[in-house]
């Protein structure tokens, strides 16, 4: 039973995992689509060979190098992608952003009905536990978080089961003036029921809101993911974009690259109007370190630009991206414009923009897909937007809603990859493969950036030993 032992801290014991607490109700009653199950079980060799067949110019050895890569900092990630097409009908999966604390387990049907903990267990057993076992330090285990209790309680209960020991579950909010978590000399401590600070040897981390305000670099306590992953692009869109450019330059002779909307970095407030005009009267403004759909503005009119500029800080710099358009227009440059493919039209003829959230984790094999789901927009692509409605209703897909009382989720727009919903997306296995390869490239790029900035992680020694033994 999950016991409350002090303010914002609970003790989770082995046997506490309850499936009804850690999935959306309709996910519990769903069955994974066979094509999605098939995709999740493909080997690296199958994934790379198929991608190579789809992109003959790609170098097969380089693809396998990326899939077998062992990240040193960024060992758990989620990439948001969108299914786009151009005027010639050339469809692609484009990377929108990469996240170092991805949600998704609560939205993923079970891959194996005999494993009730599903992806929670795969992540803990195949990613977290090998790291902890190799980490020579005593102390307790903990899960620290600032949102998404449905999944984080699930992770804590799974860790308790896998390690057969109690786990501290601590809420670590940015605004908490007396938080139950502290660091001293790089070691994490959690406050127990006796108001004593308990040493933590390893922690699973889902701290998403400006985590650099609370988490130090180069901790002695093992953390999945460490803050270095965030600072190197896992939670900063501008730094991630630069890392993608480095990757694309490195692998351009190998015929592979990360595909993103055209991006402009470090754009000053005073330059926003000029970019809007040059891009033909539409663009996306992003606060580089924002997440969960916050700090992102789709702009399709002067009125929307004026509204965005009234909301953001004139002293900051911004990331600007070309808008992925809703419908074909002769006014757009056919050599540059990309459009949402959208969902299969429903019985009312409506097609909606949607994204793919693809969660990955590092195992002893390399980077593997773990969970996948989609989210659709509120308003259809193929209907005229009312004058009193913001274009975010057409293009925005994020489900997180930040209110005065915390976070809520518009799960009615969640598109499961199950037998009932998956067909509505119009995706095939080739799109899933292309999306995963793009995502693995993004993880590789950000982790390489972290190594360049912070040096090799101690985790490298463990995988070097493992590779020698195998």
């Amino acid at each position: 039973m999950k016991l409350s032992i002090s303010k914002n801290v609970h003790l989770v014991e082995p046997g506490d995992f309850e499936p009804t607490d850690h999935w959306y109700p309709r996910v519990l009653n769903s069955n994974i689509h066979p094509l999605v199950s098939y995709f999740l079980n493909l080997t690296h060799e199958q994934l790379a060979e198929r991608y190579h067949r789809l992109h003959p110019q790609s170098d097969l050895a380089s693809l396998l190098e990326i899939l077998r890569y062992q990240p040193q900092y960024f060992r758990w990630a989620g990439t948001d992608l969108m299914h786009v097409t151009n005027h010639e009908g050339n469809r692609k999966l484009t990377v929108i952003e990469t996240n170092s604390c991805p949600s998704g387990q609560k939205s993923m049907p079970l891959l194996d009905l005999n494993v009730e903990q599903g992806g929670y267990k795969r992540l803990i057993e195949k990613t977290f536990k090998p790291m902890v076992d190799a980490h020579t330090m005593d102390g307790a285990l903990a899960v620290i978080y600032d949102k998404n209790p449905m999944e984080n309680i699930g992770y804590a209960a799974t860790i308790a089961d896998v390690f057969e020991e109690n786990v501290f579950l601590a809420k670590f909010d940015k605004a908490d003036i007396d938080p139950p978590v502290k660091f001293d000399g790089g070691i994490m401590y959690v406050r127990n029921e006796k108001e004593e600070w308990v040493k933590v040897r390893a922690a699973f981390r889902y701290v998403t809101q400006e985590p650099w305000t609370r988490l130090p670099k180069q901790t002695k306590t093992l953390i999945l993911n460490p803050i270095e992953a965030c600072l190197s692009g896992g939670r900063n869109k501008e730094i991630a974009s630069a890392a993608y450019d480095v990757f694309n330059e490195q692998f351009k002779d190998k015929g592979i690259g990360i595909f993103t909307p055209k991006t402009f970095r470090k754009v000053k407030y005073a330059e926003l109007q000029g970019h809007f005009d040059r891009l033909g009267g539409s663009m996306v403004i992003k606060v580089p370190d924002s997440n969960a759909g916050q700090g992102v503005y789709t702009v399709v009119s002067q009125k929307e630009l004026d509204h965005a500029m009234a909301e953001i800080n004139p002293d900051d710099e911004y990331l600007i991206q070309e808008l992925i358009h809703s419908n074909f227009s002769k006014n757009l440059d056919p050599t540059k414009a990309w459009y949402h493919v959208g969902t299969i039209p429903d019985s009312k003829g409506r097609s909606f923009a949607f994204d793919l959230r693809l969660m990955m984790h590092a195992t002893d094999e390399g980077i593997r897909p773990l969970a996948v789901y989609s989210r659709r927009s509120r308003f259809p692509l193929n209907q005229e937007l009312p004058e009193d409605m913001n274009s975010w209703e057409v293009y925005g897909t994020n489900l997180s809603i930040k209110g005065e009382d915390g976070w809520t989720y518009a799960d009615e727009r969640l598109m499961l990859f199950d037998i009932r919903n998956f067909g509505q997306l119009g995706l095939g296995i080739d799109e899933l493969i292309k999306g995963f390869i793009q995502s693995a490239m993004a993880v590789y790029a950000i982790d390489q950036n972290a190594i360049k900035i912070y040096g090799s992680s101690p985790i490298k020694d463990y995988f070097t030993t493992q590779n020698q033994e195998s």
Side-chain angles (χ1 to χ4, degrees):
M1 184 174 71
K2 180 166 64 70
L3 301 173
S4 178
I5 60 173
S6 68
K7 181 186 176 184
N8 287 333
V9 181
H10 295 81
L11 193 65
V12 181
E13 302 174 338
D16 279 355
F17 193 94
E18 291 290 344
T20 53
D21 293 338
H22 310 305
W23 276 273
Y24 289 127
R26 65 189 178 100
V27 181
L28 287 169
N29 299 315
S30 68
N31 291 304
I32 192 169
H33 194 283
L35 186 148
V36 179
S37 175
Y38 184 76
F39 157 70
L40 291 170
N41 283 292
L42 291 173
T43 65
H44 281 155
E45 290 73 19
Q46 289 174 303
L47 292 163
E49 182 62 42
R50 183 59 179 173
Y51 189 89
H52 178 60
R53 299 302 304 172
L54 297 169
H55 300 83
Q57 81 281 11
S58 63
D59 179 66
L60 185 59
S62 296
L63 291 170
L64 286 169
E65 173 192 343
I66 291 163
L67 293 179
R68 292 169 178 166
Y69 178 67
Q70 289 293 346
Q72 295 183 32
Y73 293 96
F74 203 13
R75 298 189 60 76
W76 171 48
T79 302
D80 295 338
L81 308 109
M82 285 185 166
H83 193 202
V84 301
T85 187
N86 64 5
H87 73 292
E88 294 180 335
N90 179 20
R91 296 190 299 171
K92 289 191 175 188
L93 273 298
T94 182
V95 174
I96 301 300
E97 68 178 51
T98 307
N99 195 316
S100 55
C101 293
S103 66
Q105 300 289 4
K106 62 181 179 287
S107 307
M108 180 66 186
L110 289 178
L111 181 61
D112 183 347
L113 295 177
N114 297 309
V115 182
E116 70 171 7
Q117 293 165 323
Y120 291 97
K121 189 172 185 180
R122 289 199 304 281
L123 177 58
I124 298 307
E125 282 192 336
K126 295 185 175 295
T127 303
F128 188 61
K129 189 174 188 300
M131 296 170 64
V132 178
D133 289 347
H135 187 59
T136 55
M137 180 176 171
D138 61 351
L141 295 172
V143 171
I144 58 173
Y145 73 105
D146 60 2
K147 58 179 290 198
N148 196 6
M150 181 181 286
E151 291 191 17
N152 285 296
I153 297 171
Y155 282 124
T158 304
I159 293 171
D161 284 344
V162 169
F163 286 87
E164 299 182 334
E165 64 178 277
N166 294 341
V167 175
F168 287 101
L169 174 68
K171 193 170 186 186
F172 197 15
D173 279 327
K174 177 188 173 185
D176 193 342
I177 60 174
D178 186 26
V181 179
K182 73 173 185 178
F183 287 86
D184 186 2
I187 299 173
M188 180 189 295
Y189 294 86
V190 174
R191 189 165 48 218
N192 68 10
E193 73 280 8
K194 298 178 181 178
E195 295 296 312
E196 298 171 339
W197 290 101
V198 179
K199 180 181 177 182
V200 176
R201 74 182 188 275
F204 183 93
R205 190 264 294 194
Y206 197 98
V207 177
T208 65
Q209 305 301 295
E210 299 183 17
W212 43 85
T213 63
R214 284 151 287 168
L215 302 176
K217 297 186 287 288
Q218 298 179 330
T219 60
K220 294 177 182 177
T221 295
L222 185 144
I223 301 177
L224 179 69
N225 285 307
I227 194 63
E228 287 88 341
C230 297
L231 298 173
S232 303
R235 197 153 292 275
N236 188 298
K237 300 173 180 65
E238 181 181 290
I239 296 174
S241 174
Y244 300 159
D245 285 351
V246 171
F247 177 95
N248 289 346
E249 181 65 24
Q250 178 183 351
F251 286 95
K252 67 179 181 180
D253 294 337
K254 304 297 183 181
I256 59 177
I258 300 167
F259 179 63
T260 68
K262 187 173 182 180
T263 302
F264 304 87
R265 298 190 292 270
K266 294 184 178 298
V267 177
K268 293 180 171 57
Y269 182 89
E271 299 170 339
L272 293 174
Q273 181 70 56
H275 277 78
F276 176 74
D277 295 336
R278 284 190 294 274
L279 291 171
S282 65
M283 64 182 182
V284 182
I285 303 172
K286 296 184 177 183
V287 177
D289 58 5
S290 63
N291 76 308
Q294 310 299 305
V296 179
Y297 303 86
T298 55
V299 177
V300 300
S301 67
Q302 186 64 48
K303 178 182 176 181
E304 288 193 340
L305 176 60
D306 293 342
H307 171 76
M309 294 182 71
E311 292 277 317
I312 60 181
N313 188 341
D315 297 325
D316 289 343
E317 294 180 331
Y318 298 92
L319 190 83
I320 301 300
Q321 288 187 323
E322 284 190 335
L323 181 72
I324 301 170
H325 299 279
S326 56
N327 297 293
F328 176 78
S329 171
K330 292 181 180 179
N331 296 324
L332 298 171
D333 186 341
T335 65
K336 297 179 180 179
W338 290 90
Y339 307 89
H340 285 277
V341 173
T343 59
I344 298 291
D346 63 15
S347 60
K348 297 179 180 179
R350 300 174 302 181
S351 180
F352 296 85
F354 71 93
D355 68 0
L356 289 82
R357 161 60 63 84
L358 212 161
M359 187 190 296
M360 301 152 288
H361 64 139
T363 73
D364 58 359
E365 301 174 25
I367 302 171
R368 294 292 305 170
L370 179 62
V372 60
Y373 67 97
S374 285
R375 303 162 293 191
R376 69 164 179 82
S377 63
R378 293 183 181 87
F379 195 84
L381 293 162
N382 55 345
Q383 291 185 6
E384 187 174 349
L385 186 69
E387 290 186 5
D388 61 346
M389 190 175 289
N390 190 288
S391 64
W392 181 255
E393 303 297 314
V394 176
Y395 299 109
T397 59
N398 202 285
L399 304 182
S400 299
I401 302 171
K402 189 175 184 180
E404 294 181 2
D405 299 326
W407 293 87
T408 57
Y409 302 91
D411 58 292
E412 70 276 4
R413 294 188 286 107
L414 173 66
M415 305 286 287
L416 302 181
F417 277 44
D418 64 352
I419 292 173
R420 180 180 180 184
N421 290 273
F422 181 69
Q424 298 175 33
L425 300 174
L427 298 171
I429 195 163
D430 285 341
E431 282 74 37
L432 296 180
I433 291 171
K434 288 189 283 187
F436 172 63
I437 299 289
Q438 283 286 307
S439 300
M441 291 179 188
V443 169
Y444 181 101
I446 292 171
D447 191 72
Q448 285 286 298
N449 191 41
I451 294 170
K452 184 170 78 172
I453 297 171
Y454 301 105
S456 292
S457 164
I459 201 73
K460 177 185 178 183
D461 297 334
Y462 166 72
F463 290 107
T464 301
T465 303
Q466 289 290 100
N467 291 334
Q468 290 173 347
E469 291 177 352
S470 60

